[in-house]
Amino acid sequence: MATTSFPDASPRKHHRDAQPALPALRRDAPRSASASRAVCTVRSFPDNLVITSAEPEFARPFGLSSGEICGYGLLDLLHSAVPDRLREQFVALSSGRQPRFTEKVTGKDGTGVDFHADMTAIAVRGLAGGTSGAVVLLHHPAAAAPGPAAPAPAPAPMAPPPATRPVAHEGPLLSALDAQVLEGVARGESTVQLASRLYLSRQGIEYRIGQMLRRFDTPNRPALVSRAHALGMFAAGQWPPRVLPERVKP
């Protein structure tokens, strides 16, 4: 996951005192051909959509680590077929005209080879109700296997019954109310909107969000949504986002 800002874009990595040109990408990071889903968060910056945090799966296709990709302009790494299409979409996201969008994009891997992906950006609202950042999800479609189909393998030994298999839960279990709050934050709802819909005070909403920030070890709302997506808390491909039933306490 990465965090980005919403104004104009320039092909630079942003630092406090300088804006050096993009360094050469690594050539030793292979790109997986299997389907994957990666997440990052972005925040507003004076002249670009800047990545502020990213999961390793988001950075790997570019030949970078999750730490190295922070500070890059998202629009320097990803492009759409229509010039300025992505910038216009993010402007609409920042202004509140749309809560999310999905676009087909192209980037370059660590060897300079183009790769294609589906990008979804979701606005995240801050305390005052304005857009404080966005969560960006990158989905790499699985590559089709070339050549004739291989012969069917021999039947595998029968697996043990599902009940005997341990189920791993990477993310924390949430109460039903916390799950609703997290879903609202992921939809881009403000504190006032959440409080009105869930019949809670604004202080109650902020308290619950603050507790989740600590549990997920994240500094802000965009990072919270990004981490929740990365941990598989939400049902895949569903909008509005819904926390999976197995991640909610009975």
Side-chain angles (χ1 to χ4, degrees), residues 155-175:
M158 182 175 294
T164 65
R165 298 177 182 173
V167 179
H169 294 288
E170 296 180 10
L173 289 177
L174 302 177
S175 68

Side-chain angles (χ1 to χ4, degrees), residues 75-128:
L75 301 185
D76 301 331
L77 299 175
L78 296 172
H79 308 276
S80 62
V82 180
D84 292 329
R85 171 69 174 170
L86 281 182
R87 189 192 309 279
E88 293 169 357
Q89 293 273 41
F90 274 107
V91 168
L93 200 71
S94 175
S95 65
R97 297 200 304 271
Q98 61 183 12
R100 70 193 291 264
F101 71 86
T102 298
E103 191 78 27
K104 293 188 178 298
V105 294
T106 302
K108 290 187 181 295
D109 67 10
T111 63
V113 176
D114 287 348
F115 68 86
H116 304 282
D118 296 324
M119 187 193 78
T120 298
I122 305 167
V124 178
R125 305 295 173 189
L127 298 177

Side-chain angles (χ1 to χ4, degrees), residues 21-218:
L22 290 173
L25 298 179
R26 287 182 179 173
R27 299 181 179 274
D28 58 354
R31 178 165 55 93
S32 172
S34 61
S36 63
R37 189 152 196 150
V39 196
C40 79
T41 54
V42 297
R43 66 171 176 80
S44 296
F45 197 81
D47 60 354
N48 210 338
L49 289 160
V50 178
I51 297 173
T52 58
S53 65
E55 298 294 329
E57 291 79 9
F58 187 93
R60 191 173 298 121
F62 303 99
L64 298 167
S65 70
S66 57
E68 290 169 338
I69 201 170
C70 293
Y72 277 84
L74 184 69
L75 301 185
D76 301 331
L77 299 175
L78 296 172
H79 308 276
S80 62
V82 180
D84 292 329
R85 171 69 174 170
L86 281 182
R87 189 192 309 279
E88 293 169 357
Q89 293 273 41
F90 274 107
V91 168
L93 200 71
S94 175
S95 65
R97 297 200 304 271
Q98 61 183 12
R100 70 193 291 264
F101 71 86
T102 298
E103 191 78 27
K104 293 188 178 298
V105 294
T106 302
K108 290 187 181 295
D109 67 10
T111 63
V113 176
D114 287 348
F115 68 86
H116 304 282
D118 296 324
M119 187 193 78
T120 298
I122 305 167
V124 178
R125 305 295 173 189
L127 298 177
T131 304
S132 61
V135 174
V136 177
L137 297 91
L138 207 58
H139 179 254
H140 303 273
M158 182 175 294
T164 65
R165 298 177 182 173
V167 179
H169 294 288
E170 296 180 10
L173 289 177
L174 302 177
S175 68
L177 183 55
D178 282 343
Q180 292 182 69
V181 172
L182 181 60
E183 291 168 354
V185 173
R187 284 197 297 268
E189 292 183 2
S190 66
T191 298
V192 173
Q193 290 171 321
L194 280 167
S196 175
R197 182 169 61 84
L198 299 177
Y199 302 101
L200 294 172
S201 67
R202 286 179 291 178
Q203 291 80 4
I205 293 294
E206 289 302 324
Y207 173 76
R208 291 184 174 277
I209 292 176
Q211 281 197 321
M212 282 191 282
L213 290 177
R214 288 187 290 273
R215 292 183 67 186
F216 284 83
D217 191 23
T218 51

